[in-house]
Structures are given as C-alpha cells and as structure tokens.
Amino acid sequence: MTASPATPRPVDEPRLLWRDEHAAVLHKPSGMLVHNSAWAGPAEHTLRDAVASELGDDWHPVHRIDRGTSGAVLFARGAAIAALADALQRDDARKHYLAGVRGRLTGDHIVERPVPDSGGVPRDARSRVLGLRVSTHAHASLVRVELFTGRTHQARRHVRSLGHPVIGDANWGNSRFNREMRAAWGIDRLALHAAHLSWLDPVLSQVVAIEAPLPPDLTAPFEAMGIWPPPDALDAGRRTTPA
C-alpha cells in the first residue's frame, strides 16, 4: 500500500455495489485507505470507517487494494470473513484490473515474477497482462491485468516489469512522465482500477461476480487520450488460466 501523502487530495465517497447478509462489495475511490495501519501513517477516515458507519462495526475487509487504486473491495462479517478470504485464494476466483500505462503495450503476456512480502521475502506471483487499446496521440495504452496470485503491488510491479509502468505510479513509474500526463490529460491519481471481482461463495454456493465501473476521474482522460472505451466491453468475466 502506498504511503500516505502529507496532504491527501479530497476523495469521493465510497459506493455500495452489492450486499447480502454476510458479504458486501464497496467501490473504493482513489485516495482512500481500506483501513488504517501504523505503516500507512496517521489515522484518517478509511473505507473501513465508512462501512462501519453505514453497515455496522462488525464488517471487515476480506482483502485490500492500494490507496491510489479505485474499485471493488470485498467486506464480510462473522465466520464469512475467513471463508471468503479462502474463497478469494481459490483458482476459480477472479480479480481483474484496468490500467492506463506508459507507452505502447500490445499482446497477451503471462508474467511470472516474484514479489517481496512485507518482510522482503520474494513470493511467487503470476499475472496476465492484456493490451486493450493504444492511444494514437498520447504515449499511453489501456491494459487489463488479471491476478492469479495476490501480492502487494503485484499489478503495478508486473506491468512495470514489461517496461510499461502505470500512469501516476510514484513507486515504479517515472515522475517526469507522470507530471506530463497530469498537465496534458488531467490524470492526478494512480491510473489503476479494480474493475472485476468474482468468487465461488461458500455460503450461497454460487458464483458472485461484481463489476465496478471505471470512475469519471479516469474515464474522462482515457476518452480524451483515445483509449476508452475498450474493445469488446472487456469480456470481463472470462478467465484464461495459464498453462
């Protein structure tokens, strides 16, 4: 998770995408932490706080996404927390991200590159990066990233390993390029969005699939750059398991 900036920019309020008695999926805006931690810096209003105010204090995040990333986050309560955490680790669970990246990224790539954990120990990590659309007038592309493992900053690290960092990435991107994209196209956030989340629900005994629409702070600049909308409406529910 990206460290807290000194003065975080204002963020939109989260939105409830789906809920049943034991689970809920929230649309987290860019700039908001999923939950407070000593590592993230001083305490602030988080997605966890917003959920507690709306649904009750017994709801907790099952997984997390970076502060700068927008999109779907799964919450649960009671015994469902552990059960859904296990469900998200299964091969039939799906996590798809959309990203605006630097340069011309085309084709379909399986990335197998270890990602260090919080203690610096390398962990196996596997992603699929699919080029969706290349801008004809900006040095950028739209890609979809599917995670087969869930490591810290995995999507950002893996697209960077292909030579195409996410726009606005202060950790693995290029600060000069990020400034240029902010000035030219108004992208003042990490251009990464958790667009699709699905799992085989152990309580409902059925697959739950949630789509989180791309927010306006990315659709507007992506449209101006000519990389939105993507072709084929993403076909977001399809998964290709790497050999």
Side-chain angles (χ1 to χ4, degrees):
M1 189 176 293
T2 304
S4 173
T7 307
R9 67 181 181 85
V11 297
D12 298 326
E13 288 300 313
R15 293 185 289 112
L16 182 66
L17 296 174
W18 172 86
R19 179 192 173 186
D20 68 7
E21 290 301 313
H22 71 281
V25 177
L26 280 294
H27 190 299
K28 186 188 82 67
S30 174
M32 176 177 274
L33 289 171
V34 172
H35 57 76
N36 281 305
S37 69
W39 189 82
E44 59 189 80
H45 182 69
T46 67
L47 184 63
R48 164 76 176 85
D49 296 326
V51 171
S53 297
E54 182 71 20
L55 302 181
D57 197 50
D58 55 340
W59 291 81
H60 298 274
V62 177
H63 67 118
R64 70 183 187 183
I65 59 178
D66 295 345
R67 174 198 285 277
T69 305
S70 55
V73 180
L74 176 61
F75 276 69
R77 59 180 176 177
I81 299 171
L84 288 173
D86 290 341
L88 288 186
Q89 299 301 315
R90 289 170 50 94
D91 289 341
D92 51 15
R94 302 175 184 176
K95 295 178 183 177
H96 293 176
Y97 289 75
L98 292 173
V101 302
R102 185 180 69 185
R104 182 183 179 89
L105 200 166
T106 60
D108 194 344
H109 309 265
I110 295 296
V111 181
E112 295 178 298
R113 189 181 182 93
V115 170
D117 61 18
S118 59
V121 179
R123 303 295 184 186
D124 290 343
R126 199 175 211 191
S127 304
R128 178 191 180 199
V129 181
L130 178 65
L132 296 174
R133 178 161 288 177
V134 175
S135 176
T136 59
H137 51 279
H139 188 56
S141 303
L142 176 71
V143 303
R144 182 175 71 188
V145 184
E146 180 177 7
L147 304 185
F148 296 100
T149 52
R151 309 302 184 194
T152 302
H153 297 163
Q154 179 176 324
R156 296 160 62 183
R157 291 174 184 266
H158 278 184
V159 295
R160 175 64 181 85
S161 74
L162 295 173
H164 300 274
V166 177
I167 297 167
D169 192 336
N171 295 71
W172 293 281
N174 179 277
S175 58
R176 179 178 178 180
F177 177 75
N178 292 340
R179 289 194 299 270
E180 291 172 352
M181 298 303 288
R182 184 184 306 114
W185 306 104
I187 301 178
D188 63 349
R189 53 159 290 186
L190 181 70
L192 184 64
H193 177 71
H196 174 89
L197 182 65
S198 63
W199 67 94
L200 178 59
D201 194 283
V203 177
L204 301 176
S205 298
Q206 66 184 44
V207 173
V208 177
I210 306 297
E211 303 294 331
L214 194 73
D217 59 359
L218 287 182
T219 54
F222 283 6
E223 286 175 351
M225 293 159 62
I227 59 174
W228 189 264
D232 303 324
L234 288 183
D235 193 14
R238 178 177 298 178
R239 176 170 188 158
T240 302
T241 303

